[in-house]
Every structure is written in structure tokens, then in C-alpha cells.
Amino acid sequence: MILAVAGGKGGVGKSTLAYNVGAALDALVVDADLAMADLPAGRGPDLHDVLAGRATAVEAVRPGPVDLLPCGRSLSGARAADVGRLAAIADVPGYEHVVVDSPAGLCVDAGVPLALADACLLVASPEAWALADAVAARELARTLDCGLAAVALNRTCTDPPTGAVGRVLGAPATAVPADPRLGRSVEREEPVVDAAPDSTPARAVRALADAVRRCAVV
Amino acid sequence: MPVTLTAEATRADGRPSLAFVAVRVANTEPVARRVTVSNRLTGTVLPPRRHGRPARGWSPDGYEGVVDAGATVGLGYACELTDAEAPLPDAPAGLTGVTVPPTESDALAHALAELGDARPPWDALGRGDSPGDGGRPPVDGDRVNETRGETDRDDSDEGDASESADDSAPAQQTTPELDESLPTDLERFLDAIGTRVTAAETLATGDLTTATDALATLGCSPEALADLLTADRAVLAALAIRVDALCERADAVSVPTDAMETLAAAGDDGGGS
């Protein structure tokens, strides 16, 4: 199953949740933010190379605590990347789930992951500006025939409006608390489900992963 | 015919120049068909819109989409008529194309055809990149993240999430070092002021030939340069005051990371979300 993690607005926590939900699903996580990649990368081919036809998706996989297909960091690589080739991520064998960290916005680089995905996980934060963009992302997903598996309301503090957000977006919303362990999980490559399995954020991440699995069964 | 269309147009109440068109397309074939519906009214098609954008399949000429086998699709649109007095034709819309649906998924085709290009413009690639150079492998020196004004970083508000440099990246003169490089926009802003100051210094101390060359490069008269420098002085003075104040505050504050860790661990005992 291909799961697109989207949200319409930058800075709501898509990459962090894509990484952590990917860990909970034992998935391959693809950093599809072609112009603003921020999942760990290293030497070797990356998604820019795959989308420019210079490498296969299998060659670009980077094993780790979470197996990643990272993206390049150069403007020229982003310019040369043909997002229409993103379907190649489905050619990587051995993964029941592929989680695609989608870019912010509503352009083609955000739309193609939704078009390819079987379902999406929408990420919003409680601020009004983030919710409005999550609604736009929901509409884009609907236009591209991408079902909604779950909604993550990220960086919540007290009394998160999960009920209202879920009704607006059309799926139950799971509150993910603001937590430094989640904040540093990507940089340190320490998914919270492994580093702090009994923590509140780990429980929230597992709840999101369970929602995705139920969607895959249906 | 296996695929048929019926259409009816009515004028809006109180607005004779606006017509509403109702269309039904029926596919009696055992396979899906991609159909093209064209407007035949003389005027501007006003398609259904979602969040300000025409709904999927709609264009200024009409509609294009897939009708499943044995299915009937209902469509509707408005048309701003150029002649409010002319009678409405019996066939306000017509079926102008019936084809086999493309093998590539409609969703992917729609995304590629309809959504905006998000690639960085050629101007942003900087020296060494050209339209004919798009296929070269990425170079560590032109990192994307350091040229964007806003960030998509997802870290929490702990302030400990500085970008980690790629340890394998070779040092290059064009690569700004972390923590000491200025944002690109600010760098350009200060470079522009520096260019004007340098030109003024050249005018003040150089010979006639040197001064003439400096003005030619700058592209303005000595009076214009003097006016620009007056404005630059004011901006730099205001910037210096603001920078000094921010430096003082940044030096005085420290993020209570230990306390946040303790709070987060205490919250784990309080139950789930």
C-alpha cells in the first residue's frame, strides 16, 4: 500500500510524522519533497537521480532504523527531476507499505504522490492557517481519487479540537502532542515507537499506523 | 449510437445573458469511454469550481472525462452569453469526441496536466547552471534548503534542531558554512549596498577614467547614486540598531530543554491522546 503524507502547508510536521508512522508500519519512507528535502540522506543515488532516470528506486534505498528513499538537496536536481516518474517507488520489493512524505502546497509535486497513493494521511496543526490548508489538501486528494486513511492533529497541547477537525476533514483525528522526542526523532534517526515506546507520542503514532492498516484491509 | 448526449439550456431569472446548461451523457457500451463535451452557445463557459479552481475535467471549451460502461453522467455549467437577445439553440452542447480511456490513471494524468509546476526556476539555479544543464548530477555546493526563505522543517519548538552538515561534503567557496552564512536575500541586499558604496569610494578617490567606468557599471548618474546612498545609510542604521538589540536578547536567553524533557516524561503518565 502506498500512503501519501500530505497537509497543504509547510511546517506542520509532515516529514516527522511520515518518518515515525513509517517506522510503526515497518515501511519504506520516500522523501518526495523535491525542493525542500529534510529526511536523512547520505551518499549514493537519491530520488532526484531516480526521477531523472539516472538510478533505479532500488538503488536509492538507504537502510536504517527506518528504511528511506532520500531526496537530493540541490536546486539543479530538483529542476531536472521528472515527478511523473514517481511511480517507480512502487517497484521496490519487500515492503508491504510505502510512505511518501509529500511536499507542501498544491502543485504537481504534491498532487502526484496523492494520485499514486492508495490513501493519504493528512497532517494539520491546531492553528487556523494550517487547518485551512489541510482542507485544500483534502480537496486535492478527493479530486485525485485518493482516500483519507487518517488525520493527525500535530503539536497539540491542551484540549485539542480533534472532533471538529475530524468532522471537517472527514476522518477521525488523532492528537499528536508537542514533544521534544518527536521533534528530534528524524535528525537522530530515533523513531519514538522505538526510543520511547510507552510515551504519549508513540501511542499516537501507533494509533495512526493502526488506522492506516485498517484502511489497507478494506 | 452507443454513447449519446442530451442537453438543455435555460436562461437565468433576471439575467438573460446567463444560461444554465444541463447535460446527460449515456454510455451503453460494455467498456468505459472517454468523452469530450463541447459548448455550442456563443459565450464564455463558467464551469463548476472547487476552491476557486475549475473542477476536474473542465476547460474553457467544455468538459472531458470518462463515462463508465453502462453508466450515465450528469453535467452542468453556466455560460455568459455574448448576445442576451438571441434565442437559445436546441443543442447547447455537443458530443465532439468518444475515445478509449488512456491506460495511465486518470488521477495521475490529471495531476500532471492540471497542477502547477513546482520546480525551481532557472534563475534560481545560479552560476554554472543553464537550461541545457538540467541533466547533470546534483552538486553539494548548491544546497536547496539554504536558498529558500521559508522552511518546511517539522521539528518541535525546542530550538535544538540545527541542520546537520553532510560530513562527506567537500568544502567549497560557494557553500556557505552553517551558522555563519547569511540568508541569500539578505546577502544580496547587502551586496547591492556594498556595490553602491564601492562606486562612491571610486568616484571620491579615483581618476576620471576609473570614475566613468564605475558609473557606467552602476548604470546611474552621480546625483542618483548620492540619493541611493542617503537611503542606504538610513536602512543600515536602522538595521544596526535592530541587530544589536536581537544580539543582546539572543545572548541573554537559553532554551529550557531539560525542563521540557521533564514535562514531556511527566505527561506520559497522564494517559493517551
Side-chain angles (χ1 to χ4, degrees), chain B residues 185-268:
Chain B
D185 287 348
L186 183 58
E187 192 79 57
R188 287 181 187 153
F189 172 73
L190 294 175
D191 280 349
I193 294 178
T195 299
R196 291 192 283 274
V197 171
T198 300
E201 288 169 344
T202 302
L203 292 182
T205 60
D207 57 25
L208 181 61
T209 303
T210 309
T212 304
D213 289 342
L215 282 176
T217 303
L218 200 60
C220 68
S221 65
E223 291 79 11
L225 178 59
D227 288 343
L228 288 170
L229 279 180
T230 300
D232 288 341
R233 288 188 199 95
V235 168
L236 288 173
L239 188 61
I241 291 172
R242 188 167 174 181
V243 167
D244 285 346
L246 281 173
C247 279
E248 209 171 307
R249 288 171 59 194
D251 287 340
V253 75
S254 63
V255 180
T257 52
D258 290 341
M260 297 297 291
E261 289 269 16
T262 306
L263 279 174
D268 290 344

Side-chain angles (χ1 to χ4, degrees), chain B residues 32-94:
Chain B
R33 289 296 183 210
R34 187 170 189 84
V35 299
T36 303
V37 176
S38 297
N39 173 54
R40 289 184 176 156
L41 299 178
T42 305
T44 305
V45 170
L46 304 175
R49 304 177 83 87
R50 281 189 173 273
H51 295 288
R53 300 166 63 94
R56 180 175 161 188
W58 287 93
S59 71
D61 299 321
Y63 172 83
E64 191 169 313
V66 174
V67 183
D68 291 334
T72 298
V73 167
L75 305 167
Y77 66 96
C79 184
E80 191 81 51
L81 303 170
T82 55
D83 185 353
E85 305 295 328
L88 296 175
D90 292 335

Side-chain angles (χ1 to χ4, degrees), chain A residues 193-209:
Chain A
V193 292
D194 297 329
D198 298 324
S199 65
T200 306
R203 285 195 290 268
V205 167
R206 283 195 296 268
L208 291 169

Side-chain angles (χ1 to χ4, degrees), chain A residues 65-127:
Chain A
V66 177
D67 291 351
L68 297 172
L69 201 164
C71 192
R73 262 65 169 165
S74 71
L75 285 171
S76 57
R79 179 72 202 183
D82 177 5
V83 71
R85 297 187 183 197
L86 190 62
I89 62 174
D91 297 334
V92 181
Y95 296 96
E96 185 179 355
H97 301 285
V98 176
V99 175
V100 183
D101 179 23
S102 306
L106 301 173
C107 292
V108 67
D109 55 342
V112 168
L114 291 170
L116 294 173
D118 300 293
C120 65
L121 164 63
L122 283 185
V123 181
S125 64
E127 289 82 9

